[in-house]
Amino acid sequence: MEMTTTNTTNQQENSGNVSDAERWTSLIGGGALVLYGLSQRSLRGALMAVAGGGLVYRCVTAQTGIQEATGMNQSIKVEKTVTINKSPEELYRFWHNFENLPRFMKHLKHVKVYDEKRSHWIASAPMGNSVEWDAEIINDQQNKLIAWASVEGADIDNSGFVRFQPAPADRGTEVKVVMEYNPPGGVVGSAIAKLFGEEPEQQIVSDLRRFKQLMETGEIATTEGQTSCRQ
């Protein structure tokens, strides 16, 4: 599995496949939603901005994220890519039902889907506590991309997307996940980084390893060498 992790604090990189000028031109084309998205200064804002321009898929697949172009540097963002020997259609369909996510995401206790857009998430926190938030799908491209973000009032402001792309040489599907956590007021990045008991990048590595096992074999191997979580 290939792992790419990014802590956006103090990040200064400006290179990428899509130039800043092209990106800004695309974003401005979205009108009011673009302007609102850019004002949020987060991955969620960026996703909303490019959604307003109808160009989410192009922008989120660029090597350089919109956060670098807009100076968004106060959050923690992690990225991970894994190749799974299943079709994009099958993986998209499974992930799109967010109630499936706790089956391979250890920090999630429960997800309740309200409708096609809205869901409620409960995650583990230190000392037996929980954090909760409502999330909304802000862009959905069938068999290609799902982008979501927490709504106002969340215990932890967060957002992310998952992209499904056919792997070269018919080797299955490359699944890329990007998630961002925005610290609550007064909480430094190092504290939120350990909110769920482990670093966010290691958390996503472990989650996607279990996702790969579940989708390819129908079950997840436990640390004791047994299996659980059959499909």
Side-chain angles (χ1 to χ4, degrees):
M1 292 190 294
E2 171 194 356
M3 180 175 69
T4 304
T5 59
T6 305
N7 187 327
T8 58
T9 303
N10 300 322
Q11 188 170 2
Q12 301 295 328
E13 296 178 358
N14 293 312
S15 62
N17 290 338
V18 179
S19 70
D20 291 350
E22 289 176 321
R23 187 173 290 113
W24 279 107
T25 300
S26 298
L27 295 179
I28 292 172
L33 183 58
V34 171
L35 297 178
Y36 175 77
L38 292 176
S39 73
Q40 301 306 295
R41 301 183 65 81
S42 66
L43 176 62
R44 170 171 57 186
L47 290 170
M48 293 182 68
V50 291
L55 296 169
V56 170
Y57 191 61
R58 175 188 174 195
C59 290
V60 300
T61 55
Q63 288 185 3
T64 299
I66 295 176
Q67 290 177 314
E68 286 81 5
T70 57
M72 301 177 240
N73 59 0
Q74 299 303 313
S75 59
I76 295 172
K77 187 182 77 171
V78 291
E79 301 181 15
K80 176 73 179 109
T81 301
V82 64
T83 299
I84 300 177
N85 190 25
K86 290 290 181 179
S87 68
E89 293 79 7
E90 185 173 355
L91 299 176
Y92 167 89
R93 185 168 59 249
F94 185 91
W95 194 295
H96 196 275
N97 180 3
F98 286 156
E99 293 184 2
N100 285 325
L101 300 188
R103 297 174 63 180
F104 62 90
M105 292 186 172
K106 288 182 65 176
H107 69 286
L108 284 179
K109 292 183 175 180
H110 182 72
V111 178
K112 173 64 176 178
V113 174
Y114 294 140
D115 53 39
E116 293 182 355
K117 293 288 187 181
R118 198 83 170 236
S119 54
H120 183 74
W121 303 51
I122 304 175
S124 300
M127 302 180 66
N129 296 317
S130 299
V131 290
E132 302 187 27
W133 64 89
D134 279 358
E136 188 171 41
I137 294 177
I138 56 179
N139 192 267
D140 187 356
Q141 297 189 18
Q142 189 172 15
N143 304 326
K144 293 182 179 179
L145 179 82
I146 307 169
W148 66 91
S150 59
V151 302
E152 185 176 358
D155 289 341
I156 298 295
D157 187 25
N158 64 91
S159 54
F161 69 83
V162 56
R163 185 195 68 192
F164 307 94
Q165 180 172 291
D170 295 324
R171 293 187 299 110
T173 301
E174 290 182 352
V175 179
K176 178 177 182 178
V177 175
V178 177
M179 291 187 181
E180 181 182 69
Y181 302 89
N182 294 304
V187 178
V188 297
S190 60
I192 194 173
K194 298 181 179 178
L195 175 66
F196 302 127
E198 59 183 332
E199 296 292 338
E201 57 265 31
Q202 183 57 47
Q203 174 182 297
I204 292 182
V205 168
S206 299
D207 288 345
L208 287 187
R209 183 180 296 117
R210 286 188 292 271
F211 182 50
K212 176 180 174 70
Q213 291 177 353
L214 182 61
M215 299 308 298
E216 290 184 347
T217 71
E219 55 193 13
I220 298 174
T222 68
T223 56
E224 291 78 19
Q226 299 174 342
T227 55
S228 61
C229 298
R230 291 180 179 274
Q231 278 190 278

